[in-house]
Amino acid sequence: MLKSEKRSEPVYRFSTPECEVRMSVEYFANSSSNSFLFRDRLTNRGFCLSSNGDTDRVCVARFQGSMAIARYDFRSRLPSPAPLNLRERVLTIDHDSRMSPRPPFERVLAVEREVVSDIQAFGYNLDDPQPAASNAPLAVWCLLRQDLYLNDQANAFLIVHWKHTLNFIDLVDVIPGDGTQLIGK
């Protein structure tokens, strides 16, 4: 398991028409791991991830790079329960010229017990015979725009900008979407 970097964990609080959302981020800079294993704190279930985010399939054996885990806690403002899923769409908005552009990435994350976590990772598998990032200097970078949606809503409730490098992942900006208000930072 990886150890968290010792820097303050940013916390944001938002209000949507459906719920209140608490977003916190834990950083893992200069990460190196013999396995890309994680533990779900709610269920105590272990799982591993592949390089494209698949759970428990073709998992990365030896990861080198940086990670951040964004945790979203939901509290319903209505008599109905909190959202059932968090949908993300990630676009690369700029990148180092030594990198190939990445296609847009979309995924749906199930909300369990009013909590969901999103893992941001940027690095390479040390066992890959030709890792693209390992031959480049540590200054390789990309900027990402992550649009977050509740359930099947058409408009993002939150827009998050991330900067990824092999040394660190940084939360650049958090922008409330239409109908969302920042209520605390």
Side-chain angles (χ1 to χ4, degrees), residues 24 84 88-89 120 136 147 156 167:
S24 60
L84 301 175
E88 67 174 328
R89 178 171 169 76
Q120 299 284 320
D147 291 1
N167 283 334

Side-chain angles (χ1 to χ4, degrees), residues 18 85 87 89 106 145 147-159 177-178:
E18 297 82 18
N85 63 57
R87 184 168 45 95
R89 178 171 169 76
E106 292 190 40
R145 174 188 167 131
D147 291 1
L148 299 172
Y149 305 84
L150 298 174
N151 297 323
D152 295 325
Q153 292 181 346
N155 296 318
F157 81 95
L158 204 56
I159 299 161
D178 291 340

Side-chain angles (χ1 to χ4, degrees), residues 67-123:
M67 288 193 320
I69 300 176
R71 176 182 163 132
Y72 299 90
D73 293 275
F74 298 94
R75 193 178 77 198
S76 181
R77 298 181 64 205
L78 305 172
S80 59
L84 301 175
N85 63 57
L86 178 71
R87 184 168 45 95
E88 67 174 328
R89 178 171 169 76
V90 181
L91 300 170
T92 301
I93 54 177
D94 200 1
H95 61 88
D96 189 285
S97 62
R98 295 165 288 182
M99 289 180 55
S100 299
R102 295 179 176 182
F105 175 81
E106 292 190 40
R107 181 173 55 182
V108 175
L109 303 167
V111 175
E112 296 179 28
R113 297 185 198 162
E114 300 183 334
V115 175
V116 68
S117 293
D118 175 44
I119 299 170
Q120 299 284 320
F122 187 76

Side-chain angles (χ1 to χ4, degrees), residues 26-62:
E26 187 174 10
Y27 296 99
F28 301 87
N30 293 319
S31 298
S32 181
S33 175
N34 287 333
S35 58
F36 217 43
L37 294 174
F38 301 90
R39 177 147 315 274
D40 183 326
R41 291 181 185 168
L42 295 176
T43 65
N44 205 29
R45 180 183 69 84
F47 63 95
C48 66
L49 293 175
S50 70
S51 59
N52 65 358
D54 291 335
T55 303
D56 295 327
R57 291 187 12 192
V58 192
C59 296
V60 172
R62 296 188 327 141

Side-chain angles (χ1 to χ4, degrees), residues 13-22 73-83 114 150 179-183:
R13 296 181 192 282
F14 303 94
S15 177
T16 75
E18 297 82 18
C19 60
E20 289 186 9
V21 182
R22 179 184 183 272
D73 293 275
F74 298 94
R75 193 178 77 198
S76 181
R77 298 181 64 205
L78 305 172
S80 59
E114 300 183 334
L150 298 174
T180 301
Q181 293 182 312
L182 176 66
I183 55 175

